[in-house]
Amino acid sequence: MNSYVLKEYQMKRKMEDFALSSGYLPYEPTLFESYDHFSMLSGDVKKEQLVTVINGQKFQLLRPDITTTIMNNVLPYIPEGQCVKLFYQSTVYRASSSGIKAIDQFGIEYLGLTNWPCERDILSLAISYLQDVPFVLEVGTTAFLNQLIDLCELGAEQEKIFRKLVYIKNREELVKFGKVNQIPNDVQLILAELFTLRGTYTEVLMKLKSLPLGSTLSMTLNEVDYLKAFEDQVVFDLSMNNERAYYDGIIFKGYYRHVSKAVLSGGRYAGNAIGFSIDVDKWMKGQKEESAIWTI
């Protein structure tokens, strides 16, 4: 038991040391966050999942998300044209039927720049944190889905339903949704094939261009054409969606085969920031299942 506790501590230190050697500085996020600020940015996080604290007449949340904290407390104070590179080893909290759940997170944040080299560097760093054991890193872009929604000409409530069907990858209901809402025929044909638009960047681009309106939609992919350099390392997925409303560009998730949910997730947000977080417990589980270093 003591050997595993020591190994977990060493692995967490290794995560931090690698971030430091890559030019990132430690950041300690605040423990509480304004309920109003978080609810404006959080997207589909349900109220019952939040740990609420009453401070006088105000509601505050017990650290529900670290990215929203950074958006409020760090990003607005970075001078234009400058960048800040941070990492954190911290905890977020969720309410559940069994009580308050503490989720250990390690995160990387590259703040203040919008160019593609920083996106490429963040993806490379994500791969470095996953690569000790077999992994899958899925990459998408919100720009594609946003343009597809524009072509569907949906109202606000319809858009929520559409995004939910894409998120859960329900092809049958998505095709039915297109017919019921009288979406243009060319767009319906794309919806029917949406979940097949997955592979390398080059493969996906070729598949897309063979579909009606494919040439128009493929223009949204120009901003991530650097993914050609990751052909053997990432899976490009145009149906990829994220439950967090603040993402507005590239998005990605990393998986280990012995872990049922994403170990790593991230993307671009607020226009000029990009980063990712690792669920440390899930990451440790994946490392233990695959790596000989845990056999002590």
Side-chain angles (χ1 to χ4, degrees):
M1 179 65 183
N2 288 340
S3 296
Y4 275 102
V5 171
L6 177 60
K7 179 58 68 175
E8 287 187 350
Y9 173 78
Q10 290 172 337
M11 294 299 286
K12 289 180 181 179
R13 283 294 303 271
K14 183 179 177 182
M15 298 171 89
E16 295 183 353
D17 289 344
F18 185 67
L20 283 168
S21 68
S22 300
Y24 288 78
L25 300 175
Y27 170 72
E28 181 62 37
T30 58
L31 185 58
F32 298 101
E33 185 169 357
S34 159
Y35 178 85
D36 291 339
H37 180 262
F38 177 77
S39 61
M40 181 175 64
L41 296 170
S42 62
D44 294 334
V45 178
K46 298 176 181 178
K47 288 183 179 180
E48 55 267 27
Q49 294 177 294
L50 304 174
V51 181
T52 307
V53 179
I54 300 176
N55 178 18
Q57 299 298 316
K58 295 182 179 180
F59 285 100
Q60 289 187 300
L61 302 176
L62 182 61
R63 197 183 292 138
D65 185 87
I66 296 173
T67 299
T68 54
T69 298
I70 289 173
M71 290 171 73
N72 186 41
N73 297 319
V74 180
L75 199 53
Y77 304 102
I78 299 175
E80 186 175 352
Q82 295 187 23
C83 68
V84 174
K85 299 165 72 174
L86 303 175
F87 76 88
Y88 58 83
Q89 186 94 246
S90 193
T91 308
V92 296
Y93 299 91
R94 291 284 186 272
S96 66
S97 57
S98 58
I100 297 175
K101 182 180 180 182
I103 304 169
D104 290 336
Q105 277 190 359
F106 173 84
I108 291 285
E109 305 289 344
Y110 197 140
L111 314 171
L113 291 179
T114 60
N115 55 33
W116 65 264
C118 70
E119 294 188 355
R120 179 195 59 198
D121 291 348
I122 283 288
L123 282 178
S124 295
L125 203 57
I127 289 169
S128 296
Y129 277 103
L130 292 170
Q131 68 182 2
D132 284 343
V133 298
F135 70 93
V136 173
L137 184 63
E138 296 183 343
V139 181
T141 173
T142 62
F144 178 83
L145 205 59
N146 289 341
Q147 188 180 5
L148 192 56
I149 288 170
D150 288 343
L151 292 171
C152 291
E153 300 178 353
L154 301 174
E157 289 303 314
Q158 291 173 312
E159 180 179 333
K160 287 182 181 179
I161 296 170
F162 178 92
R163 288 186 181 275
K164 182 66 174 180
L165 292 174
V166 174
Y167 183 71
I168 63 176
K169 297 189 181 297
N170 191 329
R171 180 186 181 278
E172 183 178 349
E173 288 299 318
L174 187 63
V175 170
K176 187 186 298 183
F177 177 89
K179 293 177 180 177
V180 169
N181 289 279
Q182 298 182 330
I183 288 172
N185 291 334
D186 284 350
V187 182
Q188 286 193 45
L189 290 172
I190 293 173
L191 297 185
E193 299 298 325
L194 181 60
F195 302 123
T196 71
L197 299 176
R198 191 173 187 273
T200 68
Y201 177 88
T202 303
E203 289 170 346
V204 171
L205 197 62
M206 292 296 291
K207 290 178 185 177
L208 180 61
K209 285 185 176 180
S210 69
L211 295 172
L213 299 176
S215 296
T216 300
L217 284 165
S218 65
M219 293 177 65
T220 64
L221 307 186
N222 290 340
E223 63 183 27
V224 291
D225 65 356
Y226 60 83
L227 290 175
K228 294 174 186 176
F230 294 93
E231 296 274 61
D232 298 327
Q233 296 173 294
V234 307
V235 176
F236 191 43
D237 185 353
L238 285 185
S239 69
M240 194 172 178
N241 197 9
N242 199 297
E243 66 272 28
R244 295 291 188 269
Y246 48 68
Y247 286 118
D248 59 0
I250 189 174
I251 51 177
F252 49 92
K253 290 187 177 184
Y255 298 88
Y256 287 145
R257 61 183 173 183
H258 292 293
V259 183
S260 59
K261 294 185 179 180
V263 171
L264 178 151
S265 62
R268 178 168 290 286
Y269 60 93
N272 63 343
I274 185 170
F276 62 83
S277 64
I278 294 173
D279 185 313
V280 176
D281 290 338
K282 290 185 174 67
W283 185 81
M284 291 284 189
K285 180 181 178 182
Q287 297 278 320
K288 289 176 183 178
E289 292 288 347
E290 297 280 2
S291 180
I293 65 172
W294 292 93
T295 306
I296 301 173

